Each structure stands twice: as structure tokens, then as C-alpha cells.
DNA sequence: TAGATTGTTAATCGATTAACAATC
DNA sequence: TAGATTGTTAATCGATTAACAATC
């Protein structure tokens, strides 16, 4: 029934809260106030309380928040307690490192299978994830629940792969290709991880600082 | 002299403009108006003109923008024409895939060296990038210009590595560890690429949609 | 010249911050 | 109870959008 649309800014802060709460929990901290959390994260207490209040009342007046229960609430808001199934398309370098090192399970996501064109990879298994032929992709999509497709193919085939995924019922794409994904049906959820965008932002802030320093030294 | 601070939102849009302009240029498009660009990117023409006007006047009344020259202007704003030198710390899966597949040069950054603790890797070279011992890191930092450190070490050693880098003059860190980097001197520029934050945001939007659909089907 | 589109100023909208009553 | 801190409403601030004169 609560149908208010939550702003993207709020959503992007939730994982940060979660990360810090997890850290605090591991350090044995059991209770925290919005002021303390704000201090740690560089946010105002108001903003933190405002953020939480989008989803309910998780604290207690005069006391603050229980670290553990706040963490659980946020996990749930983010959908971590759902049975989310993922596949990975493109077992290149980055795909491989995601299979090997990224703990999908820690975030409530199960990586069920990977797909590639390379015969040397097909039939192998990394960390329990079987690598299947790209020819099996469409049949697989038709026979299994797939919530998220992790897109780690070379940029040349990104468009084609996206088309296949969307045409066969995938609703969400986690995009690691440096290509702007266009969903012709505008109904997919696309989350981009453009490394280059991130590096360019860093580059901007660095050169802006250099300019400022150069001016000051005149 | 132009000392106005540009909002982060604007900075984050610049790489998107750049990507699209590059694409348009490759397609042979030589001229574009703010309305056309807005149409393509899902932004208002006003916003686009407002964004550009933070940095100067790049267009021409009645005509629009030259794709090539606009692209050049943005590249320059982002610092791509500077001699930015980087090193990579931690040649694991993700570090390796960055060396092998990410074209630092395309973004105006030169990756000069990588560092690792693994004796099997030390002395090898990937794509022209030599892998050096972690013991050589500090001497290297003292003898060479290093603008950006790409941090791809395991999370357990992230803090320690950060400390070394900051203590030896590195001003910018591109952080791939899923650890909140804390700069004790609060002067470093830190750009985080938290994969998990991105996945969790995706997870939120997915479960929010599922909830909405479930309600509608009642 | 007429039409198109910029650059910029003003108006609106939304997000953050401040304030405070409620209450643990 | 007194002190602390939430949840929420109101005030402020900043970002986006609209409007339009300037001009190519």
C-alpha cells in the first residue's frame, strides 16, 4: 500500500548504511544514534532520519537504533532476503573474476550459471557455477527463473546479447560493458557499472585540484 | 580564475555526454542540438545547456553544437589531455582484468606499473605493464610521479595499502575493494567502485517492481 | 531576412537541513 | 523524572526546468 516513490539518492545511500552497520556490528557495537552514524558517514543526522522514515520507524526515542535490527531492516528493503537468481553472460576476464571473487550470496543473489562462446570453457565449472554454451542461453531462460543477467561480454556483442536477454524475459541487467544499454521496450531495469565514467570523474576532480593549486602558487 | 564549484551531478553526466558524442561521431554525425542530445539521453535540453554553460560557451545559436569540438571540450574538462600516471596495487583477478582489458590510455591515463606480493607474478609483464614486488612500492612512489593508485588488493589489506599510498604522496585512489576507504588526512580524492552497492540498488528496484506487480494482481 | 537554437536569467521543483513535539 | 533521541513538519537550499532575448 505504501506507494510513495523513493528518490534515487536515498536508494544509493542505503548500501552505504548497510556496509557501515555491518562493520559496526562486527566491532561489537549494538546501538547507534543518527548523530553518531552521521558523524561516521559525513551526513547530517536529519538526512539519515529522513531516509529511514521513507520506509518506517526503526528507532526508539531517547535511545537510537539497534545496529542489528537496523541492518536487517535495510537488508530487507534492498531485497536481500528474496530468492534472486542470476546468470552471467560472458566469461572473460571480468566475468571470471566476478564468479571467482564476488560473493553474490552475501547480497542475497544466487549465481546459477554462466554462458560463453569459448569451447574451452564450456562444460567447466568455476566455484560451483557451470559454464554453458551460448546456444543454451535461450532454452535456459525459457526453463528457469532468471531475475538478473550479469552482462560481461565484449562490447561488440553487448547489443545482441542484451536483445536476446530482454526478448526472453530477463527484467534486470547488471551491465559491465562500457556500452550504453538501450532497452527497446523500456521496461528493463538496467544498472550500469561504467568503469570509465568512474575514472573520468576521478580524473576531473584531480585536474580541478591541480588547476587550483597552480593558481594558488602564482 | 573561474572558481565556481561544479556540482557532482554535473560531473557525473559529463562522461555520459562524452560516450554518446563519441558514438555519434563514429556514426558520422557532425552536428547536434541540445534537444536532440536530450532526446537520446533522456535529459531536458535545458539541463544540457545548463551543464555546458558551467564551463563556457561551446555552441552556436541557430546551429547547435559541433559533435567533434564538443567532444574535445568535454575531454579537456575531464582532464583527459593531461599526463596522468597511474599504478595498480594488487594483481588478483580484478586487477589482472583491468590491466588486460581496460584501456587506460583511452581515458588519458597511463598505467606504468603494478604491484603484488605473489612471487610468481613479480617480474612478469602484462600488456607492457611490469609487475613489481610490494616491497618496491614505497621506493617507486618516491621516485616517480604517481597521480592515481588503482586499489585492487584483497579487502583484508585495503586499509594498510591505503595508508602506504597516502603516506607517500598519492593524491587519488580508484578503489575497487568493497571497503570504505578512510583518509586520515582528509585530503585524498577517493573514487569508489563498490560493486555490491550497485548490485543492491539493482536488487532494490527489482524487488520494488515485484511488490508493485504483486499488488496489481490482487 | 526568417528560422533555429544557444546562453542565461527567472521560476519551479525536489532534496536537504532545521526545529520541535512526542516519547522512550 | 530528566535527558536523549526519534519521527515528522516546516524552512532553506540547490538543482532542474521554463522562458526568452541575443544572435548565428
Amino acid at each position: 500500500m505504501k506507494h510513495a516513490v523513493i528518490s534515487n539518492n536515498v536508494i544509493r545511500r542505503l548500501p552505504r548504511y548497510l556496509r557501515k552497520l555491518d562493520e559496526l556490528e562486527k566491532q561489537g557495537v549494538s546501538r547507534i544514534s543518527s548523530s553518531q552514524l552521521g558523524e561516521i558517514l559525513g551526513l547530517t543526522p536529519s538526512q539519515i532520519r529522513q531516509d529511514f522514515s521513507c520506509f518506517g520507524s526503526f528507532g526508539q526515542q531517547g535511545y537510537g537504533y539497534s545496529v542489528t535490527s537496523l541492518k536487517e531492516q535495510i537488508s530487507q528493503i534492498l531485497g536481500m532476503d528474496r530468492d534472486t537468481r542470476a546468470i552471467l553472460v560472458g566469461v572473460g576476464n571480468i566475468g571470471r573474476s566476478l564468479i571467482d571473487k564476488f560473493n553474490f550470496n552475501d547480497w542475497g543473489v544466487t549465481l546459477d550459471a554462466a554462458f560463453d562462446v569459448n569451447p574451452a570453457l564450456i562444460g567447466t565449472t568455476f566455484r560451483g557455477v557451470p559454464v554453458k554454451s551460448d546456444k543454451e542461453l535461450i532454452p535456459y531462460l525459457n526453463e528457469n527463473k532468471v531475475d538478473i543477467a550479469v552482462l560481461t561480454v565484449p562490447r561488440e556483442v553487448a547489443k545482441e546479447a542484451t536483445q536476446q536477454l530482454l526478448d526472453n524475459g530477463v527484467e534486470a541487467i547488471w551491465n559491465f560493458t562500457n556500452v550504453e544499454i538501450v532497452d527497446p521496450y523500456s521496461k528493463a531495469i538496467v544498472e550500469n557499472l561504467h568503469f570509465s565514467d568512474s575514472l573520468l570523474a576521478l580524473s576531473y576532480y584531480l585536474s580541478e585540484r591541480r588547476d587550483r593549486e597552480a593558481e594558488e602558487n602564482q
Side-chain angles (χ1 to χ4, degrees), chain A:
Chain A
M1 201 46 72
K2 63 163 161 33
H3 245 322
V5 171
I6 312 296
S7 94
N8 188 44
N9 291 5
V10 175
I11 303 307
R12 300 286 160 176
R13 279 192 294 268
L14 294 181
R16 281 192 69 205
Y17 294 140
L18 191 69
R19 189 140 26 95
K20 189 47 76 177
L21 288 166
D22 187 56
E23 212 175 278
L24 288 166
E25 195 182 38
K26 280 185 180 132
Q27 288 168 7
V29 178
S30 63
R31 161 190 173 184
I32 195 155
S33 69
S34 55
S35 330
Q36 291 170 309
L37 195 54
E39 179 74 21
I40 296 171
L41 291 170
L43 304 171
T44 65
S46 280
Q47 182 166 59
I48 290 174
R49 294 204 299 277
Q50 199 69 281
D51 281 357
F52 295 164
S53 77
C54 296
F55 306 100
S57 306
F58 307 142
Q60 198 172 316
Q61 279 110 324
Y63 176 88
Y65 302 87
S66 144
V67 170
T68 303
S69 94
L70 184 57
K71 190 188 135 189
E72 272 162 23
Q73 297 280 1
I74 295 178
S75 305
Q76 206 189 327
I77 293 165
L78 291 169
M80 284 173 59
D81 57 343
R82 304 195 170 209
D83 180 38
T84 306
R85 319 299 300 204
I87 60 166
L88 184 145
V89 184
V91 189
N93 250 321
I94 177 75
R96 180 70 195 279
S97 79
L98 284 171
I99 300 176
D100 284 347
K101 290 289 167 59
F102 187 76
N103 298 317
F104 286 85
N105 282 292
D106 287 356
W107 316 107
V109 176
T110 307
L111 185 59
D112 288 314
F115 295 86
D116 204 284
V117 294
N118 182 351
L121 289 172
I122 295 165
T124 61
T125 295
F126 298 116
R127 228 190 175 196
V129 179
V131 181
K132 297 171 186 290
S133 161
D134 61 312
K135 296 189 181 64
E136 292 179 64
L137 177 59
I138 293 178
Y140 183 94
L141 292 172
N142 292 324
E143 284 159 29
N144 298 274
K145 167 176 145 81
V146 174
D147 300 297
I148 298 175
V150 184
L151 194 67
T152 47
V153 297
R155 49 178 303 145
E156 303 79 45
V157 295
K159 196 174 175 179
E160 183 193 342
T162 303
Q163 189 72 46
Q164 282 199 339
L165 293 165
L166 297 180
D167 283 346
N168 291 277
V170 171
E171 286 180 52
I173 293 183
W174 197 22
N175 177 32
F176 282 80
T177 73
N178 195 34
V179 169
E180 197 92 4
I181 283 195
V182 181
D183 167 15
Y185 319 115
S186 9
K187 68 190 219 342
I189 299 164
V190 178
E191 171 72 20
N192 297 300
L193 248 166
H194 291 311
F195 291 8
S196 58
D197 287 21
S198 171
L199 181 61
L200 287 177
L202 183 62
S203 171
Y204 170 82
Y205 285 115
L206 190 60
S207 52
E208 195 252 345
R209 171 182 291 190
R210 292 278 148 83
D211 284 347
R212 213 171 40 231
E213 285 166 354
E215 257 181 53
E216 281 163 11
N217 291 341
Q218 273 182 352

